[in-house]
């Protein structure tokens, strides 16, 4: 293989990785801004987050085309093949994270006056470790670090614990005032969306680990936290 072909191939792989990181950055801002819109009751920001999901979809579609082209033209093997297949899986996970953040923003627009500040703050509080989890797994991907990926994978229970805490807190508010039932249902769905984002981060960590090491992280090694 000529130096020119090798250089072009490397550039294609770098572009694919850059697009994955771009998707990750957009997904991160969507989580932060959807919960910021909830906290401040900023309906305009919530609408902007919903529209931002369209950009995420466009980049994912472009990444898919790149992946198909790379496999067809380059016939990658070994580490390169794992990298390309992992990118395909990770882009799908990031697209789903965007959908979940978008759903939080949509629900933030539907809340009524029965939502108190404590209910809003509970969701914002849960969003912080979730955002941190996504940032950590993106750093693991960018640095191709199986150690960092495994740390993210092992810390999923922390997100589950936050979800269980928020779930119980929301039920308390609903019992105290039945007028909050509709708004409380939206808040519970938001909390569940954040918990699902944590699961997608765990999936990304598994793909990063596989990309670098070539082995799979076994679910048997990390018992799943029971949820309420």
């Amino acid at each position: 293989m000529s130096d020119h072909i090798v250089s072009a191939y490397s550039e294609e792989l770098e572009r694919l990785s850059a697009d994955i990181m771009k998707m990750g950055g957009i997904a991160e801002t969507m989580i932060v801004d959807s919960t910021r819109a909830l906290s401040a009751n900023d309906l305009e920001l919530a609408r902007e987050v919903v529209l931002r999901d369209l950009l995420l979809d466009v980049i994912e579609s472009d990444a898919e085309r790149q992946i198909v082209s790379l496999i067809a033209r380059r016939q990658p093997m070994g580490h390169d093949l794992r990298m390309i297949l992992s990118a395909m899986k990770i882009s799908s996970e990031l697209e789903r994270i965007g959908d979940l953040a978008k759903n939080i923003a949509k629900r933030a627009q539907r809340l009524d006056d029965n939502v108190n500040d404590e209910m809003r703050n509970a969701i914002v509080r849960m969003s912080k470790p979730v955002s941190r989890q996504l940032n950590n797994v993106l750093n693991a991907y960018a640095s191709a670090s199986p150690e960092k990926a495994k740390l993210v994978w092992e810390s999923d229970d922390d997100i589950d614990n936050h979800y269980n805490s928020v779930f119980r807190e929301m039920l308390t508010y609903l019992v105290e005032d039945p007028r909050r039932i509709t708004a409380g249902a939206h808040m519970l769905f938001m909390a569940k969306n954040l918990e699902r984002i944590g699961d997608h981060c765990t999936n990304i960590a598994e793909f990063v680990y596989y990309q670098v090491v070539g082995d799979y992280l076994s679910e048997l090694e990390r018992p799943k936290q029971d949820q309420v």
Side-chain angles (χ1 to χ4, degrees):
M1 187 179 294
S2 70
D3 291 343
H4 174 73
I5 293 175
V6 171
S7 177
Y9 181 33
S10 297
E11 289 175 0
E12 289 173 329
L13 292 176
E14 289 173 4
R15 181 191 170 193
L16 178 60
S17 294
D19 281 350
I20 297 301
M21 290 301 297
K22 186 175 182 180
M23 287 186 69
I26 294 171
E28 277 190 277
T29 65
M30 289 178 70
I31 296 170
V32 172
D33 287 345
S34 62
T35 52
R36 187 156 62 93
L38 168 67
S39 176
N41 196 26
D42 189 337
L43 302 185
E44 183 59 35
L45 179 59
R47 284 189 287 268
E48 196 277 326
V49 171
V50 172
L51 292 175
R52 203 180 305 168
D53 184 58
L54 297 174
L55 177 58
L56 206 57
D57 294 341
V58 169
I59 300 173
E60 185 202 16
S61 295
D62 185 58
E64 287 180 355
R65 287 191 291 270
Q66 291 181 64
I67 289 165
V68 170
S69 176
L70 278 166
I71 292 174
R73 292 184 296 105
R74 305 299 188 184
Q75 298 181 347
M77 299 176 64
H79 176 269
D80 287 350
L81 180 59
R82 294 200 308 271
M83 175 184 174
I84 292 169
L85 294 179
S86 294
M88 179 174 66
K89 295 287 190 178
I90 292 170
S91 67
S92 178
E93 297 289 337
L94 291 171
E95 191 275 335
R96 286 295 299 127
I97 289 174
D99 285 344
L100 292 164
K102 176 181 69 176
N103 188 268
I104 293 172
K106 282 184 174 181
R107 290 184 182 279
Q109 298 176 63
R110 301 174 188 164
L111 298 176
D112 55 35
D113 293 337
N114 291 310
V115 177
N116 59 26
D117 289 342
E118 288 78 10
M119 295 171 75
R120 295 179 189 270
N121 291 337
I123 301 299
V124 174
R125 187 170 64 248
M126 182 178 174
S127 74
K128 293 179 180 179
V130 173
S131 294
R132 185 165 57 249
Q133 189 89 318
L134 178 55
N135 182 264
N136 288 342
V137 81
L138 289 172
N139 286 337
Y141 175 74
S143 60
S145 171
E147 294 82 12
K148 291 180 179 178
K150 195 167 187 289
L151 284 175
V152 171
W153 184 77
E154 291 173 337
S155 62
D156 185 57
D157 283 351
D158 182 52
I159 304 299
D160 293 338
N161 288 333
H162 274 85
Y163 173 71
N164 291 337
S165 176
V166 170
F167 186 92
R168 289 190 291 267
E169 185 175 346
M170 289 299 166
L171 288 184
T172 300
Y173 293 133
L174 300 187
V175 170
E176 290 176 349
D177 189 347
R179 291 174 299 178
R180 296 173 177 157
I181 288 177
T182 299
H186 285 303
M187 306 299 273
L188 287 172
F189 275 116
M190 289 182 192
K192 186 61 180 179
N193 287 338
L194 288 170
E195 189 270 334
R196 289 293 299 131
I197 289 173
D199 288 341
H200 286 293
C201 290
T202 301
N203 293 343
I204 293 172
E206 292 178 358
F207 297 135
V208 172
Y209 189 91
Y210 169 74
Q211 170 189 319
V212 181
V213 177
D215 290 329
Y216 295 96
L217 288 166
S218 171
E219 280 290 342
L220 297 177
E221 296 177 20
R222 180 179 53 79
K224 191 71 174 176
Q225 179 82 7
D226 291 336
Q227 294 185 10
V228 294

